[in-house]
């Protein structure tokens, strides 16, 4: 299974980010899944890719040419796909993904996961879209999505398939339930938008 992860090229100020992203990468590698990510060696992106490789997993990076020109790429990954621009990069990462996870990140991460959320809401993607809400990072986004529904600008049906997970165990449970095609309520702290924000 290909797991597309969106995250930043900065490390951030919270030390738990590095620990959590390496835990995620180790699980991806040890479970026999493949990481799809932005291809950079910097910050949290580099930590994620390195942890997958160290756990024996495969890593496919997708990076636009202008980042290659700036030598941001991680040369040791399994495969590097070079795109002409950011738009093509986003399309390729969606094309390759079976599961989509947004780790805490910046505006680029937000843009990328927003496109996935839109495709999920339109039923153009059936893969789970998971916001890794580590230390309540995405609480504001969760509140906004709930407000959209309250204002009649979205609906529980449109937000089905969008999840907020507090930790790796909740992410694993969402993926397990999705793959088994069993409709089970997410764990108490896992906010499946279609089930919990109506």
């Amino acid at each position: 299974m290909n797991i597309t992860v969106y995250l930043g090229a900065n490390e951030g100020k919270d030390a738990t980010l590095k620990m959590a992203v390496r835990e995620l990468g180790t699980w991806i590698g040890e479970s026999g899944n493949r990481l799809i990510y932005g291809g950079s060696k910097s910050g949290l992106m580099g930590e994620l890719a390195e942890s997958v490789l160290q756990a024996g997993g495969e890593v496919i990076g997708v990076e636009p040419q202008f980042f290659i020109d700036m030598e941001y790429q991680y040369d040791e990954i399994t495969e590097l796909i070079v795109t002409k621009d950011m738009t093509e990069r986003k399309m390729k990462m969606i094309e390759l993904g079976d599961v989509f996870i947004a780790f805490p990140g910046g505006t680029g991460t937000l843009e990328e996961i927003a496109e996935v959320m839109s495709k999920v809401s339109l039923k153009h993607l059936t893969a789970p879209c998971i916001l890794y809400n580590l230390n309540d990072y995405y609480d504001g986004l969760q509140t906004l999505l709930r407000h959209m529904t309250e204002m009649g600008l979205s609906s529980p049906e449109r937000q089905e398939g969008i999840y907020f997970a507090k930790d790796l165990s909740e992410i694993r449970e969402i993926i397990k339930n999705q793959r088994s095609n069993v409709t089970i309520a997410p764990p108490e702290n896992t906010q499946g938008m279609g089930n919990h924000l109506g």
Side-chain angles (χ1 to χ4, degrees):
M1 179 173 61
N2 289 346
I3 300 179
T4 296
V5 180
Y6 303 108
L7 72 173
N10 296 319
E11 288 193 4
K13 296 180 178 180
D14 186 345
T16 61
L17 292 172
K18 182 176 177 179
M19 294 171 56
V21 83
R22 292 193 70 88
E23 179 189 38
L24 174 62
T26 299
W27 169 71
I28 291 172
E30 290 181 346
S31 61
N33 295 310
R34 182 184 296 110
L35 171 66
I36 311 298
Y37 89 120
S40 177
K41 63 184 176 184
S42 303
L44 295 173
M45 294 176 73
E47 295 287 346
L48 176 65
E50 181 182 73
S51 60
V52 175
L53 293 171
Q54 289 179 346
E58 296 183 358
V59 177
I60 297 178
V62 184
E63 196 151 31
Q65 183 62 53
F66 70 88
F67 279 156
I68 304 296
D69 295 340
M70 299 167 71
E71 299 185 349
Y72 286 164
Q73 76 276 6
Y74 194 154
D75 291 326
E76 286 73 31
I77 61 176
T78 311
E79 181 182 354
L80 180 65
I81 298 173
V82 181
T83 64
K84 64 181 180 180
D85 54 28
M86 295 292 281
T87 300
E88 186 178 317
R89 177 205 221 179
K90 286 191 295 180
M91 291 174 57
K92 176 57 70 172
M93 291 178 72
I94 291 173
E95 175 189 324
L96 293 173
D98 299 309
V99 173
F100 299 89
I101 299 172
F103 196 78
T107 52
T109 300
L110 182 61
E111 179 197 14
E112 290 167 323
I113 200 62
E115 183 156 350
V116 174
M117 291 164 64
S118 177
K119 289 182 180 296
V120 167
S121 73
L122 293 170
K123 313 305 180 190
H124 294 171
L125 275 178
T126 57
C129 173
I130 304 169
L131 285 295
Y132 193 158
N133 197 23
L134 182 68
N135 299 333
D136 304 322
Y137 187 80
Y138 284 113
D139 274 3
L141 179 56
Q142 188 173 8
T143 299
L144 176 59
L145 291 174
R146 183 181 292 113
H147 186 57
M148 289 177 181
T149 297
E150 292 168 351
M151 294 295 292
L153 299 172
S154 184
S155 68
E157 292 74 25
R158 289 293 293 268
Q159 295 182 10
E160 286 176 355
I162 302 171
Y163 301 92
F164 287 76
K166 294 283 189 182
D167 54 34
L168 179 57
S169 66
E170 292 187 357
I171 290 173
R172 294 173 64 175
E173 190 70 15
I174 292 166
I175 294 171
K176 176 184 175 183
N177 292 342
Q178 178 81 8
R179 295 191 74 186
S180 62
N181 293 318
V182 176
T183 304
I184 301 174
E188 183 177 350
N189 291 330
T190 305
Q191 300 298 312
M193 302 302 299
N195 297 326
H196 295 271
L197 297 185

